[in-house]
Each structure stands twice: as C-alpha cells, then as structure tokens.
Amino acid sequence: MTNIAPKSGLSWSVRAPACLLVLGVSAAWLLRHLVSPHAENLLFDAIAGVFAVAALLGIVYTLLASWLVGRFFARGASVPSRFPGVTVVKPLHGDEWQLAEHLDTFSRQDYPGPIQYLFGVHDATDPALKSVEALRARYPEATITVVADGRLYGPNRKIANLVNMLEHAEHDILCFADSDVRVSRDYLSQVVGALGEPGVGLVTTVYRGLCAPGFWSQVGAAMTDYHFLPGVITGVAIGRARPCFGQTIAMTRDTLTAIGGLEQFAHHLAEDHAMGEAVRRSGVKVAIPPMVVQHACVEDTFAKLFTHELRWSRTIRAADRSGHLGAVLMHPVPLALLAAMFSGGAAPMCLLACVALAARMLLVRNIDRATRSPTRGLFNLPLWDILQFVIYLASFCSSGVVWRGIRFSVDGNGMLSPAQEE
C-alpha cells in the first residue's frame, strides 16, 4: 500500500487518526438525530462500558508493570569469568546529534579485554567519519577500523552496512550497537557476563530515551521511558514478549554462523526481531541483563516525532500482530477518557480516568526510581498518553513506513519493498 506524503502538510499517516476522529464524531451526531433517545442511551452506555472494562484491565496491567519494573532492575548482573576480545560494530550514517559523545561512551569501557571499534559507512565522504577521526585522535591507543563500502543486499541499508563490516572484525564476540546509543562504563562487562551464561546465544538491552533540546524530543523520550520500557519488561515477565533490540545486540561469531549470517535479514523491517527469532530457533536463549542504555530522541517537530513513532509502532505490528493488538490495554488513560466521554461525563467514569492517571503516575515514579533517573515533565503525562494512543491507532491505517527519508511498504511478513508513488 502506498504511503506518499504530499508536498506540503502532514502525510496521510499523520492525518488519518484525525480523519477517524472526525468520522467518529459525525457518526455520533447522526446517531443522536436518527436514533430514538432510549436506543441512543443504550448504545452509548454500551460503548462506554466496553471502554471502561478495557481501562480497568489497563489499570491492572499498569500496576503489574510498576511492580515488574522494580523487580527487573533489582536482579544482580552477571559477572564475566574471563574477558575475551570484543569487536564493537557500529554502522554510521550522517552527522547525528552528539554523535561524538555517543561514540565516546563505548571508548571509555571498564573492560580489561581487547576491544576493536569497527565503524562502517556506505560513502567514504559520510560526515559521520569526522566524529570517528576525533575519536581516533582522543584515544590513539584504541584499535579503530573504518570500512567504507557501498554494496547493498536489499532495502535494509543497516544490514548491508553490517555485512560489509564483518569481513574486518577481529574478535569472536560481536557487539552490534547503533550510532545513537550511549552506554555506561560497565556495559561491555555486563554484556559479556550475560553472554557467558549457560544456554545464552544473544544478549540485547532495554533502553531509555536521551532527549535532544526541544519539547517534542522530550515527548519522544517520555514515550520510550514510560510506555515502551515497561511494556517490554512486562511482556518478558509474563512470557508474551520475545524481544531483540537493534540498539545493542551481542553474540559470538559461531552463533552468527549457526543462524546463517546477517545477509538473510536484508529485506526485513524489524531485522533485530528477526535475528532474535533466528537465534531462538537455533536452540539458544536471548538474554536481557538488568541494565539500561540510552537511545537518542532527536525529533524536534510534531511531524517528525509522529512519523518516527509511527514507524516504530508499525515495526512492532509487523513483528507481532496479535501482541500489538493486545497492546491496546497499555493505554488506560485514553480508554478511561473515552468511557467518560461516551457516558456523558458520568461520575464513575470520571473517577476511573483519575484512577488510571494515578496508576500511570505510579508507573512513571517506579521506572525513574529503578533506573535512577530524575522525573521531569510529569504534568505532561496525559498528553504523552493520548498522543501515544493516537499513534497506536494510526499504526493500523497503513502498511507504509518512512526510514531515513525513503518510503517503504511492509507486507504481512514484515518484509520491506520500495513504495510505489501514485
């Protein structure tokens, strides 16, 4: 399905939820004028009841997530018994916000084993290489390798970049990390420790948002921190989620060979999820240590934020359709507000909305406490939740995504193909 933006204004993906809202209001107006008052009340009460039940279930989920988040980060980290060589593999593209600072955190690791830093670009003139040269000057003793190779194997350019770099990897432990990620000094030690546990074939990490200056980037970080993060932890705890996050993935060369290499993922939208599933099929586990990395949120306008979050939501939908459908219960505040609206502002429904908001505030507090982060902008929580719900609804409106400025269609198996213009 095509998803082409007009030359001006927002794309159809951004406008679709607003259109649905207008249609819903119009339908409600018609019902009020074409249906008898008694039937109208019964219908609206029934709709309000459905939303109220969903909101109640969402509150239960939120309280459960509040507890599970604390339990997740209270676990002890695995301590490596040895410190083998690690190749940190980083695909780069463009001069991103604070790229040098992101890369620097990987160069200041408290890891006694040998580390190779392998950077890859498709174009030798890519401005991201300026940050690599600055890193080389700052750490002249570091082993830094740069690969500029334009070969492609499918529409997923990140996978192509990784495949081109692997020919130059020196060590058997491969740590793939996105360019917009920051890590703590013990990151490699924790990852290697987890990878050394019996039966573990891949290690991935959950992440929080690191916001660039600006209101909308702060909103994006809040969505990551207080919606995505607890959703993952809860899903893993109840056995519903099977995550693997491209922000950081570590595995051995033997595991990568056993699953058939990376080139097979060159047509996947959610290549990280596909990698995790391939590792699980090979008979080993995907481990998530009790640590958090930071992922840069740089969308400085509403349109950019909406497009980015919509792509991520559609990625989840492509990877796990039933799970994505069930994720409606992760939105108790919007669901309770809809219940209040359809009930005509009935006191029990308004109270339900207040309880839902209180549960969400408790979750925010517990996440920040567990990750030792300050809480900021809590008064914006209703906005965060409503916007996240609108993005969730929009993810069902189209199968198109925008990735690094290029539009793709996504089929039912999560495979990418270039979108055709109308």
Side-chain angles (χ1 to χ4, degrees), residues 30 73 311 318-319:
L30 287 173
F73 287 107
R311 178 174 69 84

Side-chain angles (χ1 to χ4, degrees), residues 124-390:
T125 63
D126 195 303
L129 295 180
K130 295 179 181 178
S131 295
V132 176
E133 292 308 312
L135 197 71
R136 197 194 299 271
R138 191 177 304 119
Y139 302 100
E141 73 285 356
T143 303
I144 296 177
T145 307
V146 175
V147 176
D149 191 332
R151 286 178 294 171
L152 299 176
Y153 312 95
N156 191 318
R157 299 176 69 89
K158 174 183 174 180
I159 286 294
N161 207 348
L162 294 175
V163 171
N164 295 338
M165 282 188 280
L166 284 181
E167 300 175 5
H168 306 270
E170 297 178 358
H171 302 299
D172 288 333
I173 293 183
L174 306 170
C175 180
F176 306 104
D178 282 353
S179 57
D180 57 357
V181 170
R182 292 191 189 186
V183 296
S184 59
R185 296 179 71 96
D186 63 347
Y187 165 77
L188 281 181
S189 293
Q190 289 204 47
V191 166
V192 171
L195 196 58
E197 292 292 320
V200 173
L202 182 149
V203 176
T204 190
T205 55
V206 295
Y207 55 91
R208 287 194 59 142
L210 175 67
C211 59
F215 174 76
W216 291 112
S217 62
Q218 294 173 12
V219 173
M223 291 179 176
T224 299
D225 297 348
Y226 308 129
H227 188 84
F228 157 79
L229 180 59
V232 169
I233 292 174
T234 303
V236 171
I238 65 177
R240 185 61 189 82
R242 296 162 60 91
C244 182
F245 307 116
Q247 278 70 21
T248 68
I249 292 175
M251 66 173 71
T252 64
R253 195 187 299 267
D254 287 343
T255 298
L256 182 58
T257 301
I259 66 173
L262 290 179
E263 193 170 339
Q264 62 183 304
F265 307 115
H267 287 80
H268 283 78
L269 170 63
E271 81 287 336
D272 45 3
H273 175 79
M275 289 170 62
E277 290 301 288
V279 167
R280 292 183 178 99
R281 286 195 300 270
S282 72
V284 290
K285 298 183 295 186
V286 173
I288 307 177
M291 62 185 297
V292 62
V293 303
Q294 292 181 297
H295 163 71
C297 298
V298 299
E299 292 73 28
D300 56 359
T301 67
F302 171 76
K304 290 179 181 178
L305 173 65
F306 198 101
T307 300
H308 178 269
E309 292 295 323
L310 184 58
R311 178 174 69 84
W312 173 240
S313 188
R314 285 180 178 157
T315 301
I316 298 174
R317 177 187 164 209
D320 183 6
R321 290 182 177 272
S322 61
H324 185 61
L325 184 62
V328 66
L329 300 181
M330 297 171 65
H331 306 275
V333 172
L335 292 171
L337 291 175
L338 287 170
M341 182 184 72
F342 277 96
S343 69
M349 299 304 184
C350 293
L351 177 61
L352 181 65
C354 292
V355 173
L357 184 59
R360 286 284 293 156
M361 293 176 69
L362 176 64
L363 176 59
V364 168
R365 174 178 174 272
N366 286 357
I367 290 172
D368 289 337
R369 174 183 294 180
T371 58
R372 300 177 182 179
S373 304
T375 300
R376 298 189 179 95
L378 191 58
F379 58 89
N380 288 322
L381 181 58
L383 170 65
W384 302 337
D385 284 3
I386 292 171
L387 181 55
Q388 187 74 68
F389 186 62
V390 171

Side-chain angles (χ1 to χ4, degrees), residues 52-77:
V53 171
L56 281 170
L57 293 174
I59 291 170
V60 172
Y61 155 79
T62 303
L63 295 176
L64 176 63
S66 297
W67 174 65
L68 290 174
V69 164
R71 190 183 72 164
F72 176 86
F73 287 107
R75 296 181 300 149

